[in-house]
Amino acid sequence: MKKILALVLIAIFIGGFFFIKSRKKVTLVPVQTVKVKKGEVRNVIDATGIVKPQVGGEIKVGARISGIVVKENVRVGDYVNKGDLIAIIDNRELKEELKKAKAHLEEVKKTYSEKIKIQEMRLKSALASLTAAEAKLKAEKENYELKKWEYDRQKKLFKIGYTTEQKLKQAKAEFERAQGSLKAAEENLKKANLDVKIEKRNLEELKARYKSDLETAKAALKQAEIRYSYSYIYAPKSGIISFVSTQEGETVVAGLNAPEFVTILNPEKLENWIYVDETEIGKIKKGMDVEFTVDAYRGKTFKGKVEEIYPKPKILNNVVYYIVVARGFKDVKLLKPEMTTHNSIIAGIKKNVLVVPNAAVKWKNGKYTVYKVVNGKVVETPVKVGWSDDKFTEIVEGLKEGDTVALKVTRK
């Protein structure tokens, strides 16, 4: 019994010793301190994104005719300039069609040139005949007037007995011949005028047919040239060959969709698709600054601006995201499509506010606290905070400019 009592007393003594020791006051000692200062803090929305080609930044180059690929000049990674030859499709039949179209055009020009010359000569002859008929009519009119005057004179002389009947009959006969000749000259002039009209019309119709046939032949030649040009595949824009789908010796078949030869990527026409959570999308506006990094260049920060906010959401793993498109960043040639981007969208900036490093603010007992250093001693001070970014936290209440706060403390 005495032994049990002794053990109890010992236990009470030891427990009391440790209780008194645990009640000893703990002192916090600052290790690293900073001054509360005025600065700026940014409201930053962090999100992940992907580098994508802009509209028109990636072009698929195809073929518009069927045939065997007889030459292909590019490989993946090659840089091509606008107008560089990419590939050639077998064009022997197209070349023959082009040759025939050229020959037909020359034949049309030659044939019609000869026909027009002949018709122009016919018109010239008809005009000469018309001139002669006009001169003949003029002469016959003069002769008619003369014979008419002579016949009238003989009639008057015969009445008074100063001429013979024979002379009167002779004057009448000559007058009637002159009258007949005049009518014949008038008919001949009508015929000459008609011939001129016919030859002019024939010439106009011939020229019209020539114009029509010439345009048809030229159109056929143009079509043959275009079809022939389809056998040569040229780069429509400058850029890097990012995909090649054919090789020499393969047969391509052109249908409703042009068979793809290569894909050309313009390395300067890239954009950043940022996937922003639906809870944050309301804070983002066009024109906001964007900073991002990619895994390939961790030490480099790319800067751009928000230019588009797509209205249609994208659901990934049952989470709703909206695509925010950033453009205008420098050194875009360093980037490649489908690179992952780590983005900070600057939703706002507060300048000339009290700030402390993020490490200075602690969350204790349901409130924000800082270790304020007063006369070398650490005093736990509750504060009210505002915005915070990756470096600083805004202090709204609890500190003033010039105060000292500890980033790290030790216990003594």
Side-chain angles (χ1 to χ4, degrees), residues 8-24:
V8 170
L9 291 173
I10 292 170
I12 292 171
F13 175 78
I14 294 172
F17 173 79
F18 281 105
F19 175 76
I20 292 169
K21 188 173 181 180
S22 65
R23 296 277 294 179
K24 186 177 179 181

Side-chain angles (χ1 to χ4, degrees), residues 65 85 87-89 91 228-234:
I65 60 170
L85 181 64
I88 302 175
I89 300 174
N91 56 20
Y228 181 73
S229 70
Y230 289 161
S231 63
Y232 294 90
I233 312 299
Y234 295 98

Side-chain angles (χ1 to χ4, degrees), residues 96-111:
E96 284 300 313
E97 290 179 6
L98 179 60
K99 185 178 178 181
K100 290 178 181 178
K102 287 180 178 179
H104 178 63
L105 177 60
E106 293 303 318
E107 180 65 22
V108 168
K109 290 180 179 180
K110 180 180 178 181
T111 301

Side-chain angles (χ1 to χ4, degrees), residues 132-397:
E134 290 173 341
K136 179 68 173 175
L137 177 61
K138 182 179 179 182
E140 292 299 335
K141 280 183 178 181
E142 292 176 351
N143 184 57
Y144 170 80
E145 294 295 333
L146 178 62
K147 297 303 180 182
K148 184 177 182 301
W149 177 83
E150 180 62 25
Y151 176 50
D152 289 339
R153 191 176 73 85
Q154 288 295 327
K155 285 194 294 183
K156 290 177 181 179
L157 292 175
F158 182 75
K159 284 181 179 181
I160 60 176
Y162 282 95
T163 187
T164 63
E165 185 178 355
Q166 182 179 0
K167 289 182 178 180
L168 175 63
K169 289 180 178 180
Q170 183 179 354
K172 181 180 179 181
E174 290 178 358
F175 168 71
E176 288 176 350
R177 284 196 297 273
Q179 192 175 38
S181 297
L182 177 60
K183 288 182 179 179
E186 289 174 344
E187 292 298 324
N188 189 52
L189 180 61
K190 289 180 181 179
K191 182 179 180 302
N193 275 314
L194 182 60
D195 289 345
V196 169
K197 289 180 180 179
I198 291 172
E199 299 303 339
K200 280 185 176 180
R201 184 175 65 248
N202 289 342
L203 181 59
E204 289 173 356
E205 290 176 353
L206 185 61
K207 287 182 176 180
R209 288 198 303 272
Y210 173 53
K211 183 179 180 182
S212 176
D213 290 352
L214 183 64
E215 289 178 354
T216 301
K218 285 182 177 179
L221 176 59
K222 185 66 176 179
Q223 186 177 15
E225 288 173 341
I226 291 173
R227 286 186 55 79
Y228 181 73
S229 70
Y230 289 161
S231 63
Y232 294 90
I233 312 299
Y234 295 98
K237 288 188 177 181
S238 299
I240 297 172
I241 302 296
S242 60
F243 177 73
V244 177
S245 63
T246 58
Q247 58 185 354
E248 291 184 12
E250 288 186 346
T251 300
V252 294
V253 179
L256 294 177
N257 296 319
E260 182 181 348
F261 263 80
V262 299
T263 300
I264 300 176
L265 173 68
N266 185 340
E268 295 184 355
K269 295 195 71 173
L270 298 175
E271 59 191 15
N272 183 6
W273 286 19
I274 307 169
Y275 293 87
V276 178
D277 190 279
E278 62 177 322
T279 60
E280 303 281 4
I281 194 64
K283 302 175 184 178
I284 298 176
K285 307 293 180 186
K286 288 185 180 181
M288 287 182 173
D289 292 326
V290 178
E291 297 178 357
F292 68 93
T293 60
V294 294
D295 294 335
Y297 309 102
R298 274 292 185 178
K300 181 173 180 56
T301 299
F302 297 85
K303 296 181 179 181
K305 288 187 179 294
V306 174
E307 293 198 7
E308 302 289 344
I309 302 173
Y310 288 173
K312 186 176 180 180
K314 191 172 185 67
I315 300 175
L316 301 173
N317 299 323
N318 295 322
V319 179
V320 178
Y321 295 94
Y322 288 87
I323 297 175
V324 175
V325 181
R327 302 190 191 105
F329 31 87
K330 296 180 180 180
D331 298 325
V332 66
K333 288 185 177 180
L334 297 176
L335 302 174
K336 290 178 171 47
E338 305 306 319
M339 279 185 169
T340 300
T341 61
H342 309 281
N343 303 273
S344 295
I345 302 174
I346 315 304
I349 299 176
K350 285 186 178 180
K351 296 184 178 182
N352 201 32
V353 295
L354 290 180
V355 295
V356 295
N358 292 335
V361 181
K362 316 296 180 183
W363 178 256
K364 296 183 67 175
N365 301 323
K367 59 185 178 180
Y368 290 105
T369 303
V370 298
Y371 293 130
K372 183 178 179 181
V373 180
V374 181
N375 297 324
K377 296 181 179 180
V378 174
V379 179
E380 292 188 11
T381 304
V383 293
K384 182 179 179 181
V385 301
W387 289 6
S388 63
D389 55 25
D390 58 338
K391 294 180 181 180
F392 297 103
T393 298
E394 177 190 7
I395 302 299
V396 179
E397 293 180 3

